[in-house]
């Protein structure tokens, strides 16, 4: 009983210390007051955000929210999830219904400047593609003239689809359905000839929903750039910094070889960069209004970026590709923690 009491007192003292460093009326302050972070996620996309058989949310976007929970509360479980459709997502963030939008959302100039929102970085580089049934014997997207195409409204996907067909002097019949579940039902029931979304979403749908994944072909063309990243509201720089550096900590940890399994051993490392990231050197946590072990808590409880990718996306057959670290031929790069 005494041990439990001491643990509770320790957590209470830590919460007080963190609360003293966050700005009054800030998103972080409001989250500390209510005891959790509200995270807006996809209604169900394998690999990104989807509840498992026990109702626990899993995915690379979910892990980003868990990382922020670990940074702010020293507890990655202090997160609640709000499933949002593509059309609901921005309004939910603007209105304060959610604290973070981490929902396979593409960073564009319009979204970054006109919605009162800030993208904090990129946690997955993607591009739009097309999936068809194998029996259609289609080898290229340029053979899709006249096809019925299933697509979600309120997405960059819908705009890219129109641009691609217009640029290639082809016609198509859009089958526009808001909810992801209903879009997939329509495609797999044969109501449309083609399903278009981000390539990662095509892999996820084929792996998790197709009766026989081998019956569906993802065509080779990638027709857009889709950098996905978490989003926060304008006007709260501290929260922007906390979410941004939570993402960077996961990327930096992978580059340093720090994992959820070896982090405790690596805290003894003489490497000054590792000393900074585990909170043994410098006051970087205090710069964010957090405990100095904020990054250690992320790595210990959530893992590095590569662990998250391997856990959530690799089982779907998605290769690291351009989502590899910069020193392994990819685009993933974190600014220096110093």
């Amino acid at each position: 009983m005494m041990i439990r009491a001491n643990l509770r007192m320790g957590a209470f003292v830590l919460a007080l210390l963190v609360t003293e460093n966050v700005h009054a009326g800030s998103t972080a302050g409001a989250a500390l007051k209510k005891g959790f972070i509200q995270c807006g996620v996809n209604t169900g996309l394998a690999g990104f955000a989807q509840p498992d058989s026990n109702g626990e949310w899993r995915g690379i976007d979910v892990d980003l929210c868990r990382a922020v929970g670990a940074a702010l509360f020293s507890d990655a479980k202090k997160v609640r999830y709000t499933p949002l459709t593509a059309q609901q997502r921005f309004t939910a963030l603007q209105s304060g219904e959610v604290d973070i939008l981490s929902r396979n959302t593409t960073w564009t100039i319009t979204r970054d400047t006109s919605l009162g929102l800030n993208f904090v970085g990129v946690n997955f580089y993607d591009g739009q593609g097309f999936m068809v049934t194998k029996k259609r014997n289609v080898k290229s997207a340029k053979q899709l003239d006249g096809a019925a195409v299933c697509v979600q409204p309120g997405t960059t996907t819908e705009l890219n689809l129109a641009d691609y067909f217009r640029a290639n002097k082809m016609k198509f019949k859009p089958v526009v359905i808001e909810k992801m579940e209903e879009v997939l039902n329509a495609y797999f029931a044969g109501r449309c000839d083609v399903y278009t979304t981000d390539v990662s979403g095509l892999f996820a749908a084929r792996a998790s929903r197709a009766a026989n994944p081998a019956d569906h072909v993802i065509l080779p063309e990638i027709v857009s750039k889709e950098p996905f990243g978490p989003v926060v509201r304008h006007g709260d720089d501290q929260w922007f910094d906390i979410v941004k550096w939570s993402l960077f900590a996961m990327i930096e940890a992978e580059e340093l070889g720090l994992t959820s399994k070896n982090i405790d051993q690596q805290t003894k490392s003489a490497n000054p960069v590792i000393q900074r990231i585990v909170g043994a050197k410098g006051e970087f946590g205090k710069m964010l209004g957090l405990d100095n072990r904020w990054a250690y808590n992320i790595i210990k409880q959530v893992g590095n970026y590569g662990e998250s990718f391997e856990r959530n996306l690799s089982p779907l057959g998605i290769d690291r590709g351009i989502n590899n670290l910069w020193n392994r031929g990819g685009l993933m790069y974190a600014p220096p923690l110093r």
Side-chain angles (χ1 to χ4, degrees):
M1 292 295 290
M2 181 63 70
I3 293 174
R4 289 183 182 177
N6 287 340
L7 288 173
R8 285 196 296 269
M9 180 60 69
F12 176 72
V13 170
L14 176 60
L16 284 178
L17 291 173
V18 173
T19 302
E20 287 177 0
N21 291 325
V22 300
H23 300 158
S26 68
T27 305
L32 286 167
K33 186 175 181 180
K34 65 189 177 185
F36 59 88
I37 295 163
Q38 197 73 42
C39 183
V41 294
N42 199 297
T43 54
L45 179 62
F48 287 84
Q50 190 174 54
D52 64 16
S53 58
N54 297 317
E56 294 288 331
W57 282 89
R58 307 288 182 190
I60 197 167
D61 285 341
V62 171
D63 280 351
L64 185 281
C65 293
R66 294 177 61 232
V68 179
L72 184 64
F73 291 99
S74 302
D75 187 348
K77 295 181 181 179
K78 297 278 190 177
V79 184
R80 296 184 185 178
Y81 301 96
T82 301
L84 299 168
T85 67
Q87 289 189 312
Q88 294 169 335
R89 56 185 164 174
F90 297 122
T91 302
L93 182 59
Q94 291 164 336
S95 67
E97 181 183 348
V98 297
D99 303 316
I100 309 169
L101 179 65
S102 187
R103 188 205 174 280
N104 58 297
T105 297
T106 302
W107 190 347
T108 71
I109 186 171
T110 302
R111 292 171 173 178
D112 202 19
T113 60
S114 65
L115 298 180
L117 306 176
N118 279 327
F119 283 79
V120 306
V122 177
N123 72 333
F124 190 83
Y125 291 94
D126 209 343
Q128 185 173 332
F130 302 92
M131 183 164 67
V132 298
T133 56
K134 193 173 184 179
K135 65 183 180 182
R136 293 188 182 277
N137 198 32
V138 172
K139 305 297 183 185
S140 167
K142 293 181 180 178
Q143 297 175 269
L144 297 177
D145 191 19
V149 184
C150 277
V151 64
Q152 283 187 285
T155 61
T156 56
T157 307
E158 187 179 23
L159 302 175
N160 295 334
L161 172 65
D163 286 348
Y164 181 77
F165 273 75
R166 188 180 301 114
N168 287 281
K169 297 180 172 58
M170 298 189 301
K171 294 182 179 180
F172 71 100
K173 177 184 176 183
V175 181
V176 181
I177 304 170
E178 180 179 354
K179 294 184 178 179
M180 174 71 72
E181 183 75 12
E182 294 175 9
V183 175
L184 295 176
N185 288 342
Y187 169 72
F188 287 114
R191 284 179 52 197
C192 47
D193 307 312
V194 185
Y195 173 43
T196 186
T197 190
D198 308 302
V199 171
S200 61
L202 298 178
F203 273 94
R206 185 171 68 173
S208 65
R209 293 295 303 274
N212 182 9
D215 289 340
H216 301 269
V217 176
I218 297 172
L219 300 177
E221 288 85 357
I222 296 178
V223 303
S224 70
K225 294 185 293 184
E226 307 293 332
F228 296 161
V231 193
V232 296
R233 287 180 292 277
H234 275 173
D236 189 340
D237 287 349
Q238 185 181 40
W239 186 240
F240 176 76
D241 288 342
I242 289 171
V243 178
K244 174 173 56 181
W245 282 97
S246 294
L247 170 61
F248 289 157
M250 294 181 71
I251 297 170
E252 181 76 356
E254 183 180 12
E255 184 175 339
L256 292 171
L258 302 176
T259 71
S260 57
K261 295 180 176 61
N262 71 16
I263 184 66
D264 286 322
Q265 180 182 356
Q266 290 296 316
T267 57
K268 303 169 187 175
S269 170
N271 184 328
V273 182
I274 292 177
Q275 287 291 294
R276 288 195 291 268
I277 200 169
V278 300
K281 187 179 180 68
E283 299 290 332
F284 301 102
K286 289 185 178 180
M287 294 177 186
L288 295 167
L290 303 174
D291 181 84
N292 276 334
R293 286 167 65 87
W294 64 280
Y296 165 87
N297 290 327
I298 291 173
I299 301 162
K300 178 68 175 178
Q301 297 179 36
V302 183
N304 66 36
Y305 179 80
E307 287 181 278
S308 181
F309 194 104
E310 186 70 23
R311 182 167 59 238
N312 297 300
L313 298 177
S314 294
L316 302 176
I318 299 175
D319 294 330
R320 282 293 294 266
I322 59 174
N323 289 291
N324 229 316
L325 294 177
W326 66 278
N327 54 5
R328 298 177 191 170
L331 299 176
M332 282 295 168
Y333 187 105
L337 186 75
R338 64 175 309 127

